[in-house]
Amino acid sequence: MIKTELGTLRRSHYSNELNPSMDGLEVTIMGWVLTIRGHGNISFATIRDKNGDIPIVAKKGDCPDELREKLSILKAHSSIAITGRIKSSEKAPTGFEIIPSELRVFSDVEKIPPFEPLAKTVKNIDTRLEVRPIDLRRKTLQHIFNARSQVLKSIRDYFYQQNFIEINTPKMIATATEGGAALFPIFYYNKEAFLAQSPQLYKEQLIMSFEKVFEIAPIFRAEPSRTNRHLAEAISVDLEEAFVDYNDVMNRIEDIIKIAIVTVSDYAKNNSDVEFIIPSKPEHIPRYSYDELIEKMQKAGAKTEWGDDLYPSNLKKIGVEGFYFIKDWPLGPKPFYVKDSKTNPKISESFDLMFGDLELSSGSTRIEKRHELEERMKNKGMKTDAFEYHLGAFDYGVPPHAGCGIGLERLIMALTGTENIRDVTFYPRDVDRLTP
Ligand code: ATP
Ligand code: MN
């Protein structure tokens, strides 16, 4: 009888812990069936666990008939355990194979997924997203999400080394952060509330007491964007710091980008089949002013004038590439909390971090004086009453401060050369997708 329960059986080794020098050792491995090939009296299987692949060879006479017969008819993705002996073998790419003596089949697969487990690329992303947990078993995605996890760890490590405190702010909120319309309304008991589009106001309040804060959490954006770079729910790496300005924040971002590139490069070094397109580590990330780029665009023949957004098509015309900052944006379109330049009131102390034409981050020096905030809100037609819960803090000594939000998915796109933001998101949410 082939057993189907885990019971007390436990894995003895992961795939990457096995090698030919362990010849003769009995091991128990667990994972899922990647491939099976049966030739009458002999079956070859490859079992994959989270770290790699293990070759199994079941030959008549070497292992129980029942085991060999069952193994040969298993379908890809079945979840199994095998106990057997390691046999060094020059023919096997790993230098060894496992001769099974016991097989357990926890989940016997009946269905054939709409793509091969070994497929490197599957064109239609919707086909994949419909069976996302299976899609995520593919090596390409395994590498993206493992690298993403490493990048998150290295960013967290950086913040802790720099004495930042990790915060969590509410995601159900009463008013829009920026007074915009692009919010998801929700039922909150008997009131209307919204999903937070940014932790902006809370992180600004928290620097009053903690000075250096960061948060890695979802932001919700209701603009109905159908692009390869917008999600309805994204992860934002937010930082906010007291007694600094936007130049210091750009320095921090520069540190973070360098650390993240090293992390992804190390990941690729340790995994030979990784196919990321990793940007080279910049010595220094160039900082162009908005004025400078507009002028360049005009010289390059672009029809654009001061005050316009810097469109991707125009950025292409002037050939800016890799990582760079665009700083000192016109104040007009910037949110109310962004500080104006003390030398030119039409300009703000703000920046975007770019990778080619992809925006990775926006940041700025913030206003610390209540009357300036109120003036900016009034100019924008915002009702200050609705923000009293926030403005009230500014009656009690808010220090000068600055910060930014970095889009995690966009950063991972840039670090791995991934075109579609959905491929760096476990379960993407967009205009057309709320499942799985
Ligand atoms: P964009 O102009 O690209 O739509 P934004 O300027 O509206 O972005 P910000 O409010 O500046 O976005 O948010 C800070 C960062 O968060 C962005 O630079 C980006 O990396 C990320 N981000 C914002 N909105 C989204 C989204 N809808 N999907 C994925 N990431 C996002
Ligand atoms: Mn922005």
Side-chain angles (χ1 to χ4, degrees), residues 362-405:
S362 284
S364 62
T365 313
R366 328 295 196 185
I367 295 173
E368 73 277 12
K369 295 178 178 61
R370 176 169 178 146
H371 68 93
E372 283 183 26
L373 278 176
E374 284 183 336
E375 202 176 296
R376 287 287 299 288
M377 290 173 92
K378 277 180 200 141
N379 288 343
K380 287 186 167 289
M382 293 167 70
K383 290 196 193 86
T384 52
D385 288 357
F387 286 88
E388 190 50 39
Y389 76 96
H390 179 60
L391 291 170
F394 291 76
D395 291 332
Y396 299 98
V398 172
H401 59 290
C404 69

Side-chain angles (χ1 to χ4, degrees), residues 270-314:
N270 294 329
N271 294 275
S272 56
D273 58 338
V274 165
E275 291 181 346
F276 300 158
I277 304 164
I278 307 173
S280 53
K281 193 172 106 180
E283 265 311 303
H284 175 70
I285 299 182
R287 299 177 187 188
Y288 307 115
S289 73
Y290 170 89
D291 283 11
E292 183 182 343
L293 293 188
I294 281 281
E295 211 169 289
K296 265 195 197 155
M297 286 172 178
Q298 288 167 340
K299 279 198 185 127
K303 280 207 184 80
T304 188
E305 49 187 77
W306 198 93
D308 287 351
D309 202 353
L310 302 180
Y311 299 108
S313 56
N314 289 341

Side-chain angles (χ1 to χ4, degrees), residues 34-254:
L34 182 68
T35 59
I36 298 270
R37 277 185 302 132
H39 297 287
N41 287 340
I42 185 161
S43 295
F44 302 93
T46 306
I47 308 307
R48 177 170 282 182
D49 66 17
K50 75 186 188 71
N51 296 338
D53 300 342
I54 307 160
I56 313 291
V57 177
K59 206 165 136 189
K60 195 173 173 73
D62 282 358
C63 60
D65 284 345
E66 189 197 17
L67 185 158
R68 199 188 73 251
E69 280 154 22
K70 179 67 191 173
L71 188 69
S72 70
I73 56 165
L74 284 179
K75 290 207 173 63
H77 290 290
S78 302
S79 168
I80 69 169
I82 282 176
T83 300
R85 286 193 189 284
I86 297 186
K87 187 178 159 215
S88 68
S89 149
E90 276 165 17
K91 271 179 280 168
T94 44
F96 69 87
E97 52 208 24
I98 288 181
I99 315 298
S101 52
E102 194 197 330
L103 167 70
R104 290 198 194 187
V105 180
F106 306 123
S107 298
D108 210 352
V109 168
E110 305 289 337
K111 282 192 168 176
I112 299 186
F115 45 82
E116 290 286 317
L118 279 169
K120 260 193 188 151
T121 52
V122 179
K123 284 245 168 68
N124 190 340
I125 190 151
D126 284 310
T127 308
R128 296 200 280 110
L129 289 172
E130 290 301 337
V131 285
R132 187 58 158 174
I134 316 310
D135 187 28
L136 290 167
R137 280 182 159 175
R138 292 187 310 121
K139 261 275 138 80
T140 319
L141 292 181
Q142 287 270 298
H143 285 319
I144 287 177
F145 287 97
N146 283 326
R148 178 187 188 274
S149 169
Q150 293 298 314
V151 168
L152 273 172
K153 179 181 182 318
S154 64
I155 293 176
R156 275 209 171 81
D157 287 347
Y158 168 80
F159 282 128
Y160 283 100
Q161 274 160 18
Q162 298 287 318
N163 294 312
F164 277 72
I165 172 179
E166 181 159 8
I167 58 166
N168 297 102
T169 63
K171 302 305 159 208
M172 296 188 285
I173 56 166
T175 51
T177 318
E178 339 227 321
L183 289 164
F184 288 107
I186 54 169
F187 293 110
Y188 190 77
Y189 303 110
N190 57 353
K191 288 197 219 54
E192 185 185 49
F194 302 95
L195 294 178
Q197 63 192 151
S198 144
Q200 184 61 34
L201 306 185
Y202 293 104
K203 64 178 182 163
E204 283 193 60
Q205 295 178 19
L206 290 173
I207 58 90
M208 288 181 76
S209 44
F210 296 102
E211 295 196 15
K212 295 160 89 167
V213 303
F214 79 98
E215 177 167 13
I216 302 177
I219 54 172
F220 302 92
R221 304 284 170 113
E223 292 95 353
S225 314
R226 281 189 174 84
T227 74
N228 275 351
R229 47 180 69 176
H230 288 92
L231 294 167
E233 176 175 349
I235 300 293
S236 179
V237 177
D238 268 275
L239 77 90
E240 201 71 27
E241 189 170 357
F243 305 109
V244 301
D245 73 7
Y246 71 140
N247 292 304
D248 305 272
V249 177
M250 283 189 273
N251 293 343
R252 291 220 179 272
I253 290 187
E254 211 167 307

